[in-house]
Amino acid sequence: MQQNKSFVLVLIFAILGIVISLQVKSIIYANRNLEAKMVNDIEKLKNEIQKEQEIGKVLSKKVSENERIKEENLKNSIAIRKDVNLKKLKEELDSLKIKSGMVSVKGAGVIITLDDADARITEDESTLILHDRDILRVVNELKKANAQAISINDERVTALTETVCAGPTIMINGRKYTTPFEIKAIGDPDILYDTVNNSKIAYLLTRDMIKISISKVSDITIPKYDSIKIDSLFSDLEVVDNEIR
């Protein structure tokens, strides 16, 4: 009886050992599978993270490139606007310089020559002489015809120009000149020619036998206004406390 009990116990322990051994092996196998799965999952995560990082780098590069393009376009736009403004300002300045006579100009236009009439017996000898008012009327006709620049005996006509009779001479810009007088005007040659040729002053000068000739010229140079004379206008002025007296 005692032997049977011992056998049963041995058998039970043997079975229990086998079960425990199988359980341990199962746990070890499961742990190995879990570890392998975890390693595999970690590798997958690493790969996904690496892909996301690469995508992030590409996107970051695109964003940086877009920002660079935007900044470059903005700079170009500012530069273009600045160039346009500078060009416009330069054109306005050049136009003002031309109108004020500060620069010499060149272009097509007309040349008008005026001279006293030949000596003859007449009741009014003053009609034989060219006067400053005659020159002014011719200049006014040229201005009406949109002459861009005018000179009289190479004296540039500006807002400061005066023509004054002084005996047998005429003073222009403070200088004395005698006949003949050569008036140059730059503009549309046809319009300038027709305007002066069909004007009342041309008729009156021709009637009084004052010599007048008008010719169209393709290349005329008109000198700038003498800046020395501009300075001389203010040579006698004295500045005191930022006021002119």
Side-chain angles (χ1 to χ4, degrees):
M1 187 68 177
Q2 186 67 29
Q3 290 180 347
N4 289 336
K5 286 182 179 180
S6 297
F7 177 76
V8 171
L9 287 173
V10 170
L11 182 61
I12 290 171
F13 282 120
I15 293 171
L16 184 59
I18 292 170
V19 171
I20 291 171
S21 176
L22 291 173
Q23 187 67 30
V24 170
K25 287 182 179 180
S26 176
I27 291 171
I28 292 172
Y29 180 75
N31 287 338
R32 286 178 179 174
N33 287 340
L34 180 61
E35 183 179 353
K37 186 175 182 302
M38 289 179 65
V39 170
N40 188 41
D41 290 343
I42 290 171
E43 287 298 323
K44 285 183 178 180
L45 284 173
K46 284 183 178 180
N47 291 334
E48 289 179 3
I49 291 171
Q50 188 174 0
K51 287 180 181 179
E52 292 296 331
Q53 287 177 340
E54 290 176 357
I55 293 173
K57 287 180 181 179
V58 172
L59 291 175
S60 178
K61 189 175 181 180
K62 286 184 177 180
V63 170
S64 298
E65 181 66 15
N66 287 336
E67 290 297 323
R68 186 190 67 78
I69 292 173
K70 284 182 181 179
E71 186 175 353
E72 188 174 335
N73 289 338
L74 180 60
K75 287 181 180 178
N76 290 337
S77 178
I78 293 172
I80 290 171
R81 287 200 298 269
K82 188 180 292 184
D83 289 342
V84 170
N85 290 335
L86 287 175
K87 184 179 179 182
K88 186 177 179 181
L89 287 173
K90 186 179 183 303
E91 289 174 352
E92 291 177 357
L93 179 60
D94 290 342
S95 177
L96 287 173
K97 284 182 177 180
I98 291 173
K99 290 177 180 178
S100 63
M102 294 175 62
V103 293
S104 299
V105 289
K106 188 176 182 180
V110 296
I111 294 179
I112 303 169
T113 303
L114 301 172
D115 201 353
D116 294 336
D118 292 330
R120 69 179 188 277
I121 299 174
T122 178
E123 293 180 359
D124 186 2
E125 292 186 357
S126 66
T127 59
L128 303 177
I129 301 172
L130 187 67
H131 298 278
D132 57 339
R133 62 177 179 271
D134 301 323
I135 296 174
L136 284 176
R137 291 179 69 178
V138 172
V139 168
N140 287 336
E141 291 297 328
L142 292 170
K143 288 180 178 179
K144 285 196 296 184
N146 294 321
Q148 298 173 9
I150 302 171
S151 69
I152 306 171
N153 285 15
D154 285 334
E155 290 285 346
R156 185 69 168 269
V157 175
T158 70
L160 299 175
T161 299
E162 288 185 330
T163 59
V164 181
C165 273
T169 64
I170 294 178
M171 291 188 66
I172 305 170
N173 289 339
R175 291 194 175 104
K176 292 182 179 180
Y177 292 93
T178 59
T179 56
F181 289 92
E182 185 179 69
I183 302 174
K184 297 178 183 177
I186 292 177
D188 187 305
D190 294 329
I191 295 176
L192 294 173
Y193 181 91
D194 291 340
T195 300
V196 176
N197 192 51
N198 297 322
S199 65
K200 184 177 181 180
I201 182 60
Y203 164 76
L204 293 174
L205 293 175
T206 303
R207 182 198 64 183
D208 293 335
M209 296 185 181
I210 297 293
K211 297 171 186 175
I212 176 172
S213 67
I214 311 170
S215 57
K216 301 176 187 178
V217 183
S218 60
D219 190 11
I220 298 174
T221 299
I222 295 180
K224 66 180 181 179
Y225 187 79
D226 191 346
S227 60
I228 296 176
K229 290 195 286 292
I230 295 177
D231 295 336
S232 67
L233 293 174
F234 305 98
S235 60
D236 296 329
L237 298 179
E238 180 182 356
V239 177
V240 179
D241 295 331
N242 294 326
E243 293 183 0
I244 297 178
R245 70 177 185 185

